[in-house]
Amino acid sequence: MSRIVIRKIRKNEIGKLEDMLYEAIYQTDELNPIPRSVLNIPEINVYIKDFGKLSHDYCLVADLDGKIIGAVWVRVISGAVKGYGHIDDKTPEFALSLFKEYRNKGIGTELMKKMIEHLREKGYKQTSLSVQKENYAVKLYKKLGFEIIAENDEDYLMLLHLKTSNI
């Protein structure tokens, strides 16, 4: 995997975030996947709608020989529709996605670390995300220093204090 380059998304690639968002949705039943129409739900679509037009939109991609195989993006979601990881109108929310064949190879960890570093450089105090309790990525987020601050039957709301994390 040494041919993988982590870089900023290019403007002409932003449309690929729709595929990335769909891949980011945790599928509990691989034989009966959630239909792509789920992307039309406002609380899901808010993660990509008009991405790149807001000053708090940042995206890094994992590029393997010119093909995007994964992405991590953040945005401050402060409009009427909130994301699942909403804390306040100053905290960027994370989304992370890798195509299945590239998972569990450390790529997601590297994407997360680079974005955490970027947010710290930009002066953010904290960042958040929402993750289903069954999702194997919970371990990654905990390893990176995210803490569970709230939960419901299915999801954790996790927060990372950027000033005190070790990443």
Side-chain angles (χ1 to χ4, degrees), residues 55-60 72-76 90-95 111-129 146 160-163 165 167:
S55 62
H56 299 283
D57 289 350
Y58 304 105
C59 178
L60 299 173
V72 63
W73 65 100
V74 297
R75 72 185 331 189
V76 174
K90 295 179 182 174
T91 302
E93 292 183 49
F94 260 87
L111 283 165
M112 291 289 292
K113 285 180 178 179
K114 295 269 189 201
M115 185 58 78
I116 289 167
E117 183 180 309
H118 178 76
L119 291 175
R120 190 177 285 124
E121 288 170 4
K122 291 289 185 183
Y124 291 96
K125 292 180 172 60
Q126 61 188 18
T127 186
S128 66
L129 57 82
F146 281 84
L160 176 68
H161 296 280
L162 294 166
K163 303 289 183 196
S165 76
I167 301 299

Side-chain angles (χ1 to χ4, degrees), residues 28-78:
T28 56
D29 183 355
E30 297 275 333
L31 298 176
N32 296 298
I34 297 168
R36 281 185 71 94
S37 60
V38 72
L39 299 179
N40 297 325
I41 297 171
E43 292 82 6
I44 294 176
N45 188 264
V46 72
Y47 288 94
I48 59 170
K49 184 177 181 178
D50 297 325
F51 193 88
K53 294 183 179 178
L54 303 173
S55 62
H56 299 283
D57 289 350
Y58 304 105
C59 178
L60 299 173
V61 296
D63 178 318
L64 176 62
D65 299 329
K67 176 186 171 195
I68 293 175
I69 60 167
V72 63
W73 65 100
V74 297
R75 72 185 331 189
V76 174
I77 302 173
S78 59

Side-chain angles (χ1 to χ4, degrees), residues 140-157:
L140 164 64
Y141 302 143
K142 285 182 176 181
K143 185 174 91 176
L144 292 171
F146 281 84
E147 299 173 18
I148 297 168
I149 60 165
E151 64 181 278
N152 60 32
D153 289 344
E154 294 181 13
D155 304 315
Y156 291 126
L157 177 60

